[in-house]
Amino acid sequence: MQIVLNFLLMMAIMMMMRNLPGVQLAQLRRVWMQDHCQNGICSGIHIGRNDYVIMSQAPIAKQIMLTFVNSSIAKIPHLMFDTFPDLQVLRLENCSVETFERPQFDGAKLKELNLADNQLELLPPGVFATMRKLLDLNLAGNRLELFPRGIFDKNLNLTRVNLARNRFKVFESELFKMQPRLTLLDLSGLILQELTLNFPILESIVANNCDLRKLTVYGIVKELELRNNSLREIPHIPNASNVTSLDLSHNPLGNLQGNPLRRYTGLLRLNLSATNMHDLPEGVFKKQNHLKLLDISSNSLYNLKFIIFDSLKSLQYFYFQQNNWNCDFLQLLLNSFVKRRDISFMEDIVEPELVDDYIDGVACWYENTKSSRHCESGTLTDAALELSIVRNDIKTMMETMDKKFVKIYRILEEMKLRL
């Protein structure tokens, strides 16, 4: 009944406006949603920024989820939530949404709103205020540079927020001071060289590909995913004992001198893949008694002191492929530690012509002289160290080139959208 009244009211207003001098009205378009939607999937719908759309003649009940594909929608139709009064999930990924009308979300019962990969540049203050039940908000891949102050203050039930691949220069965790149930915050792809976050408690932070050089996190956080940044030191987290998962892969951390993991006593998963390591200090994992997964792959490690592994009593998965292992040391590592404790590991993908040997599928190299083929655990010859560093420099150069290609690709994509 309400949608019919809205339609009649709008028609009356437009009839009155037709008689006013100098007023030109866009053609009234009707979009019958039932012709485009089936089983919650809507396709082939095109709505311009200046179109006024009549969604349907009557409400469509019991429709809980709508996903739009192959559609170009510059704005969400004004009567969307009158047409679908029971809607809980709305997915409008890659639909060219540019703007919101106010009040855009009046009457919406949404729990999940996905607007990823659209063209939003600004959000009106209070645009989400009426959606008190909203749990999951995805704004990734838009053109947002800032948020109005207090924009999420009414969304007290938010648990998952994705802001990846936008254009924020700074990020303020104060935006989510009213969200005690927030479990996931994704900031991947934002260019943020320094980042400070302050949450009472947060399950997971994702900040991949951000060029981060310094990260500080106050409060309690359990999982951090920080792949492909520019971190040269472990994140500063006063309550680091609460962290259970830490992914620092593809960061230029180096050899982790000074035991920087000593406060991370609750770790279950640790990823140090491709972090420019060619050695590890003796006590680096001394406090990681509960660690179940350790990844030190894609570094320049040659051999290590076995005392490093003494504290890893709970280890179940150990990934150490794509290093510069000495074959004698690798044999000892597999027989005395990995196989003895029945720990899972992965084989190498290095081409056979580039290695001296494989041991259980893991690539390794011998030194040139016969006297050096016997591994003395914990020592590195000058020649082996030099070879390890050269291999690592080549890896680093290739990773830097990959990052630059990603940035160039992003710029080209943005230029394509503007054109």
Side-chain angles (χ1 to χ4, degrees):
M1 184 64 181
Q2 184 62 43
I3 192 170
V4 175
L5 291 174
N6 286 342
F7 173 71
L8 293 174
L9 179 60
M10 184 56 63
M11 290 295 291
I13 292 172
M14 293 184 69
M15 290 296 291
M16 293 172 59
M17 292 181 68
R18 285 183 192 276
N19 298 322
L20 295 177
V23 175
Q24 295 181 351
L25 296 176
Q27 184 179 359
L28 185 66
R29 292 204 310 125
R30 294 178 176 83
V31 177
W32 308 122
M33 295 297 291
Q34 57 265 40
D35 296 337
H36 297 271
C37 302
Q38 187 174 5
N39 299 323
I41 305 296
C42 304
S43 62
I45 299 175
H46 303 282
I47 299 172
R49 186 167 185 167
N50 297 319
D51 288 336
Y52 183 86
V53 180
I54 303 299
M55 300 291 291
S56 177
Q57 290 178 314
I60 300 174
K62 298 182 180 179
Q63 185 69 56
I64 295 176
M65 181 181 73
L66 281 182
T67 300
F68 289 82
V69 296
N70 299 323
S71 299
S72 176
I73 302 174
K75 63 177 183 179
I76 301 174
H78 182 66
L79 299 177
M80 169 73 79
F81 304 106
D82 289 326
T83 302
F84 300 100
D86 301 321
L87 201 61
Q88 295 183 17
V89 177
L90 177 59
R91 295 173 180 163
L92 281 158
E93 301 106 312
N94 196 25
C95 285
S96 305
V97 178
E98 299 176 5
T99 185
F100 293 135
E101 293 182 342
R102 294 189 63 187
Q104 179 68 80
F105 296 103
D106 272 12
K109 297 181 181 182
L110 291 179
K111 293 183 179 179
E112 178 183 333
L113 176 60
N114 191 330
L115 291 162
D117 298 304
N118 282 284
Q119 300 176 26
L120 293 168
E121 296 184 1
L122 295 172
L123 297 180
V127 66
F128 304 123
T130 60
M131 291 189 288
R132 305 297 177 90
K133 297 181 180 180
L134 190 63
L135 303 175
D136 192 327
L137 177 62
N138 190 342
L139 294 169
N142 281 279
R143 304 173 182 180
L144 298 169
E145 296 185 2
L146 54 86
F147 281 131
R149 188 172 298 275
I151 188 171
F152 301 117
D153 283 1
K154 301 295 183 181
N155 308 113
L156 305 183
N157 293 306
L158 269 177
T159 58
R160 298 169 61 88
V161 177
N162 190 340
L163 304 177
R165 296 178 289 110
N166 275 282
R167 299 178 179 177
F168 298 107
K169 296 296 188 295
V170 295
F171 177 81
E172 298 179 2
S173 51
E174 285 292 311
L175 284 166
F176 299 100
K177 63 184 179 182
M178 306 298 291
Q179 282 68 44
R181 302 177 185 177
L182 195 65
T183 60
L184 171 66
L185 177 63
D186 193 337
L187 303 175
S188 298
L190 306 185
I191 306 303
L192 301 169
Q193 293 189 355
E194 291 193 13
L195 179 61
T196 299
L197 298 175
N198 190 354
F199 293 93
I201 184 169
L202 184 59
E203 188 73 25
S204 181
I205 294 172
V206 181
N208 302 321
N209 309 305
C210 291
D211 197 29
L212 270 178
R213 301 180 185 185
K214 183 178 181 181
L215 174 64
T216 303
V217 182
Y218 297 105
I220 295 175
V221 61
K222 296 184 178 180
E223 299 179 357
L224 288 104
E225 191 174 308
L226 304 168
R227 290 196 306 270
N228 196 28
N229 283 289
S230 301
L231 293 169
R232 295 185 178 275
E233 58 184 31
I234 301 294
H236 176 62
I237 305 178
N239 296 305
S241 60
N242 295 287
V243 178
T244 59
S245 179
L246 182 60
D247 186 345
L248 294 167
S249 59
H250 296 273
N251 280 276
L253 291 172
N255 289 339
L256 301 181
Q257 298 295 335
N259 196 10
L261 294 169
R262 63 188 180 278
R263 294 183 178 180
Y264 289 81
T265 56
L267 278 177
L268 302 178
R269 297 178 297 278
L270 176 61
N271 190 341
L272 296 171
S273 175
T275 52
N276 291 357
M277 295 189 298
H278 58 80
D279 195 11
L280 283 170
E282 286 186 20
V284 65
F285 303 128
K286 187 176 181 180
K287 300 291 185 178
Q288 279 67 57
N289 301 325
H290 307 292
L291 198 66
K292 296 182 182 295
L293 183 151
L294 174 61
D295 190 341
I296 57 172
S297 64
S298 301
N299 282 291
S300 299
L301 297 169
Y302 174 74
N303 67 1
L304 298 169
K305 294 183 179 179
F306 273 94
I307 192 173
I308 288 175
F309 307 110
D310 286 352
S311 300
L312 303 179
K313 306 295 185 182
S314 303
L315 201 64
Q316 299 175 9
Y317 304 93
F318 185 24
Y319 305 132
F320 50 89
Q321 72 281 1
Q322 296 184 25
N323 275 285
N324 298 324
W325 296 119
N326 170 270
C327 293
D328 299 310
F329 172 78
L330 181 60
Q331 187 73 67
L332 285 172
L333 178 67
L334 285 162
N335 292 340
S336 301
F337 179 65
V338 178
K339 292 181 179 179
R340 186 177 180 182
R341 298 194 188 180
D342 194 25
I343 297 171
S344 298
F345 65 98
M346 294 181 66
E347 295 184 355
D348 246 313
I349 57 173
V350 181
E351 295 296 332
E353 59 268 20
L354 300 178
V355 305
D356 288 350
D357 203 353
Y358 288 96
I359 298 178
D360 289 310
V362 181
C364 64
W365 289 262
Y366 294 105
E367 294 183 40
N368 292 328
T369 60
K370 292 183 179 179
S371 61
S372 64
R373 289 186 58 166
H374 297 286
C375 172
E376 296 180 8
S377 180
T379 62
L380 275 172
T381 66
D382 291 340
L385 179 58
E386 185 176 350
L387 178 62
S388 176
I389 292 173
V390 169
R391 288 174 181 153
N392 186 60
D393 287 343
I394 294 173
K395 289 180 185 176
T396 302
M397 180 182 69
M398 296 304 294
E399 290 168 4
T400 302
M401 291 176 63
D402 286 343
K403 287 181 181 180
K404 288 183 178 179
F405 277 122
V406 169
K407 290 181 180 178
I408 292 171
Y409 177 77
R410 254 189 229 162
I411 292 170
L412 290 174
E413 284 294 305
E414 290 183 1
M415 291 175 63
K416 181 180 176 181
L417 288 172
R418 290 176 183 174
L419 291 173

